[in-house]
Structures are given as structure tokens and as C-alpha cells.
Amino acid sequence: MRYTFDTEVHKKIKDYSKPLLNEFLEYLLQEEHIKSRTPNRIKVASTALYVFINNCYLSSVNHSKVLTVTFRTKVYAKGYIVNGKQSKVKVSLQYTKWLFDFLQHRNLGYLNKGGAIFESVKINGKYKPKLVSTERSTFEFNHDIYEDMLNLNEDIKFKPVTNVMILRDKDKNDITFSLPRSKVSIKNLLLNVNREMADIKVFDPVKKKHYKLQLKKVFNVCFNRGGRMYDLGIQNLPKHERYRLLIDDKETCVFDFKAFETSLLYSIQGVKMEGDPYKISINGYDPDTLRKICKMIMTRIYYCKDRSELQASVSKSVTEDMCVDKLFEKGFLPERRIPVGHIIDILVEKHEPIMEYFYGKGDYDPSHVGSLVMDYILEYMIQNYKTAIIPVFDEVICDKDFAYEVQEVMKKAYHYVVGTDMNCMIVREK
């Protein structure tokens, strides 16, 4: 999970941290990072440690031992932001770096430092570095801490998530803001949902794991970009695990908007989308394999800055997630290569009616339009039926007793946002 810098930490987490704090300070003295203990040094060290243990707690109750961490100076230069307002207390970057060194020294976890990977390319006769990919830094804490956090969870009363409106800059850092009046209603809705759903039991009967249904919205740069809802981990589960979840011990059903963002943009243009938007034909290539590549492209083409970034992104996924050799041996490919660039060209021509939205252009951000549809569904079901739904981007998981109602409101929401449902395709996946 993403590292949170929330310094409002439960007393039991602070109590758990105290023995480690003394060891941490001793380590700093031994390594000569500090010469003596001063009240300010103790305060700064304890803040970094409390925040870390709180992240371990949040991650553990969501069944993970891996934290996504950052060492960017800009992130540590400001306090934690809650619904646009910044806390006065900051977390020290230097003490956080020392803390991870200490934790590794104590065999309490392992830091995997990420970074940028470049390759040398020749441009106008000169070799210049080109960014190929970036890898996030992660810290995996050990199993003892994980078990301790689960034991702590039995004594800590769950606090509903209140930081429900998040705005990030182009570098994906949280920033302060004054919430537009048009967004106040959704903030209040999410606060109410998180309070009411705090006691809802979402359960995986196979892994015997419980999940909390708590939602927040993340906007990108401005409040007309992004706005998707995120939860505390359900969305990161594999499809087969999501599909077997129970809501308050009841079986669930799952509905999915097909080609959601692409269909929304066609509807905004007032154009009927003909056939499967992810389907093309190239001699010698297996149709299902081609469709997977097309789906990758069409779900990224709106957000990559240009064609080269899109091609690099999809090619990387092909390398990592698809075994080209096996596909070739099975006869699914005519050669040991998938022509990503050629497939992009075919799709750009196929979807000419919406081409102005490719690469972050156009007046509408499809993720934001989609978020408005999901907002409507959530609000409608809460107000009219007081039932929990789990929104997963273009998918809705609900109590199967409300299958008809959810399918109907999905159509209403689609029509309400774009003014037509001619391209609205809803499939019951379970």
C-alpha cells in the first residue's frame, strides 16, 4: 500500500513503538548520526517511527506486509494533507532513511530501492538517455511485526476513513486545495458511506480474510481529471478473489461496464460504437491474443503523453506478462514478435471518432466521466436501499438480492452523465 504520512496515530501503536524507539536512538548514537539525545531529536525520531508502525498496521489489516515508500524531498517538505488541509507536523526524510537502515540492521524488514531505468538512444547523431521504466521503492516488514499488528487490531476500534478527497500534482504528490462547491456533496457522501459501512463485513470465505469497505477519491492536477474511487485493498485483489467475496455473509453478484471509458467517449461524441472496440484482425495472429493487446492499448491511450510512451508501456507489459515464445510455439503468432506499433496504428484509425481524446487531449477526461457514473450508482443505492456496493473502477459488486436494482441504476447513471445509453453495455460477470 502507499505510504501515508498521517501523524495522528493511535495510542496503542505509540505504546508498541516505545521499545523500538529506544533501540532506534541507540542505533543513531552508535552510527554517529547524532551525538546526543535532545528533546527535538527524540520527537523527530519518534514521529518517523510512529508513522512507520502505523503504516505497518494499516497494511497488515489489509493482508499485506509490503509498503510502497518514497524518498522524494518534496513529499517530506509538508505535513499530511486531509481533504486539502495540511497538518503542521512533518515527517523527517533524514530520520526516515535512518529508520529503514535501522530496521534492516535489526532484521525487521528489507528495503528494495527502486528508481529510474534509462537506455542510450541516438538522436540527431548524438546519444542521449531515454527513460525506459521506473520502479517503486518498497519495504517489506517481517512476519513478527505483521502478527503483532493483527493482534493490535483486536484492541483498536476501527476509525472510518475521513481523508476522502485527494488532489495530486503531475508528479502524483498530494497537494493542498480549497474544495470546489460542486464537489462538497460527494465528499459528504463518502464520509457518510465510510461511517455506515465501517461495520459491514466483507469476507473471503476461502482465505478467511476480512476487508473494510472504505472509499476515497483521487483527482489528478485538477478536479476535472481523475476522481476514481479507491478502497483499502479490495480493488487490488485478483478477479477470482473479488468474485467470491461475501457481503454480510450474503452471496454477491458482479456487473461490469464493457469498454467503459471508450464507450463513454463515443457517447459524448454522439456516435454509435460499432462492435467490439478491442477487436481487430491481422493475418496469422490469434484473435484472443490480439484482443488482449488491444485492450491494453485502449485503456492506456487516453493517459500516455504520446504514442512512443504508449508503445513503450504496452511493449513492457507484453514482455513481462505474455510469453511470446510459447504463443509462437502454439501457433498463435506467425513470428516471435507482437507488432505493438502496427496494432496502435490500426486502433487509432478504427477509433477516429474519438481520436482527439488520445494522449491526454480533449475536453473530457474519461476517468473523470467514469467516476461521475460510479458516484451516481453509489449515491443512489445508499439513499434508496441502504445497501453496500463495492465499486471497482468499471465494475460493481453487490449483494445478489439487489442484482436487478443495481443493473437498472447502472443504466440510469450512464444516461444521466452522458445524456444517452446507446453505447452502454453491462454484463453480469457473476
Side-chain angles (χ1 to χ4, degrees):
M1 61 171 284
R2 185 184 174 108
Y3 205 78
T4 175
F5 293 88
D6 188 359
T7 55
E8 293 293 322
V9 175
H10 196 281
K11 181 179 181 300
K12 289 189 179 292
I13 289 176
K14 290 184 177 181
D15 291 342
Y16 175 88
S17 306
K18 285 177 181 176
L20 271 180
L21 176 59
N22 288 324
E23 291 186 43
F24 180 34
L25 291 167
E26 282 299 317
Y27 171 82
L28 295 178
L29 290 166
Q30 290 170 7
E31 296 295 314
E32 298 185 349
H33 294 313
I34 60 175
K35 294 293 185 181
S36 62
R37 298 190 188 203
T38 67
N40 185 62
R41 285 170 177 164
I42 294 172
K43 180 180 178 182
V44 174
S46 63
T47 299
L49 180 57
Y50 295 160
V51 165
F52 168 75
I53 295 297
N54 189 51
N55 275 277
C56 292
Y57 171 75
L58 295 172
S59 185
S60 297
V61 298
N62 286 289
H63 317 294
S64 175
K65 293 188 286 186
V66 179
L67 306 172
T68 299
V69 299
T70 180
F71 298 106
R72 287 182 290 179
T73 304
K74 186 176 181 180
V75 176
Y76 291 82
K78 56 193 175 186
Y80 183 60
I81 299 171
V82 179
N83 295 324
K85 299 188 184 304
Q86 182 175 295
S87 166
K88 294 180 180 178
V89 181
K90 300 176 184 177
V91 180
S92 166
L93 172 57
Q94 182 60 78
Y95 275 76
T96 299
K97 288 180 177 178
W98 287 338
L99 175 62
F100 286 125
D101 290 340
F102 161 71
L103 293 165
Q104 290 192 112
H105 174 74
R106 282 274 281 102
N107 293 319
L108 295 174
Y110 174 74
L111 177 65
N112 177 32
K113 287 188 177 180
I117 299 174
F118 293 87
E119 68 177 14
S120 182
V121 295
K122 197 171 185 179
I123 301 176
N124 297 328
K126 295 182 178 180
Y127 284 97
K128 295 183 179 180
K130 177 184 177 182
L131 180 65
V132 177
S133 64
T134 57
E135 183 180 344
R136 294 176 178 177
S137 296
T138 59
F139 187 87
E140 182 172 353
F141 51 93
N142 71 10
H143 192 70
D144 289 342
I145 294 179
Y146 179 76
E147 291 291 337
D148 289 344
M149 294 300 102
L150 293 181
N151 290 332
L152 270 184
N153 188 41
E154 296 176 4
D155 298 324
I156 296 177
K157 184 178 179 181
F158 179 77
K159 181 182 176 182
V161 172
T162 56
N163 187 24
V164 295
M165 302 293 279
I166 296 169
L167 180 63
R168 291 180 179 153
D169 63 18
K170 60 182 178 61
D171 297 319
K172 301 190 183 304
N173 297 317
D174 294 5
I175 55 177
T176 58
F177 59 85
S178 177
L179 190 66
R181 186 172 295 179
S182 62
K183 301 298 181 184
V184 172
S185 61
I186 189 62
K187 172 193 170 183
N188 292 336
L189 171 66
L190 290 174
L191 289 172
N192 181 52
V193 166
N194 288 348
R195 281 193 300 268
E196 290 195 14
M197 300 304 157
D199 296 325
I200 293 291
K201 186 170 69 173
V202 181
F203 182 63
D204 180 343
V206 175
K207 289 192 171 181
K208 308 297 182 186
K209 289 183 177 180
H210 292 270
Y211 297 90
K212 286 290 185 183
L213 181 54
Q214 298 285 287
L215 302 172
K216 62 183 178 183
K217 289 179 74 71
V218 178
F219 296 87
N220 303 317
V221 182
C222 68
F223 285 98
N224 291 322
R225 295 274 167 183
R228 284 174 171 167
M229 280 185 280
Y230 293 84
D231 59 36
L232 296 180
I234 297 171
Q235 291 162 339
N236 296 326
L237 296 175
K239 182 180 289 188
H240 69 276
E241 291 187 24
R242 292 199 309 269
Y243 284 13
R244 71 187 182 215
L245 292 176
L246 305 178
I247 297 178
D248 277 345
D249 298 321
K250 293 184 178 180
E251 291 288 335
T252 56
C253 60
V254 182
F255 292 98
D256 183 43
F257 285 108
K258 285 300 178 185
F260 191 31
E261 294 178 344
T262 296
S263 77
L264 286 168
L265 292 176
Y266 266 91
S267 295
I268 288 171
Q269 295 291 80
V271 178
K272 176 68 176 174
M273 187 172 68
E274 300 296 338
D276 185 341
Y278 304 148
K279 186 175 181 179
I280 64 171
S281 178
I282 302 178
N283 287 339
Y285 286 86
D286 170 62
D288 291 338
T289 302
L290 267 182
R291 191 182 187 281
K292 288 179 183 177
I293 305 298
C294 291
K295 185 173 182 180
M296 281 188 205
I297 292 169
M298 292 308 297
T299 53
R300 302 178 195 189
I301 197 169
Y302 310 116
Y303 308 109
C304 290
K305 66 180 179 182
D306 54 33
R307 187 186 183 283
S308 61
E309 184 181 280
L310 173 64
Q311 184 167 343
S313 172
V314 175
S315 295
K316 182 173 184 288
S317 294
V318 167
T319 301
E320 294 176 350
D321 304 330
M322 303 177 74
C323 184
V324 174
D325 281 343
K326 284 188 177 179
L327 291 172
F328 174 73
E329 290 170 3
K330 289 181 178 179
F332 292 170
L333 310 176
E335 59 177 329
R336 284 185 169 87
R337 181 183 76 97
I338 294 177
V340 174
H342 181 49
I343 297 171
I344 291 173
D345 291 338
I346 294 173
L347 286 171
V348 168
E349 183 176 349
K350 175 183 175 77
H351 295 296
E352 180 277 330
I354 58 170
M355 64 183 299
E356 59 261 50
Y357 297 101
F358 297 163
Y359 310 120
K361 300 173 183 176
D363 297 328
Y364 294 95
D365 171 48
S367 67
H368 182 66
V369 179
S371 79
L372 298 177
V373 175
M374 301 305 282
D375 291 350
Y376 184 105
I377 297 166
L378 178 67
E379 187 171 44
Y380 191 96
M381 294 305 296
I382 289 291
Q383 290 181 353
N384 289 277
Y385 303 105
K386 298 190 184 302
T387 185
I389 67 163
I390 304 173
V392 184
F393 305 134
D394 56 359
E395 174 184 288
V396 177
I397 304 172
C398 67
D399 177 342
K400 70 174 184 179
D401 291 342
F402 292 93
Y404 174 79
E405 289 82 0
V406 165
Q407 190 170 15
E408 286 300 302
V409 76
M410 287 174 75
K411 294 176 186 175
K412 287 181 182 178
Y414 191 106
H415 190 284
Y416 176 82
V417 172
V418 296
T420 178
D421 58 7
M422 67 176 170
N423 294 308
C424 179
M425 297 177 289
I426 300 170
V427 176
R428 182 168 179 168
E429 299 286 0
K430 175 195 171 189

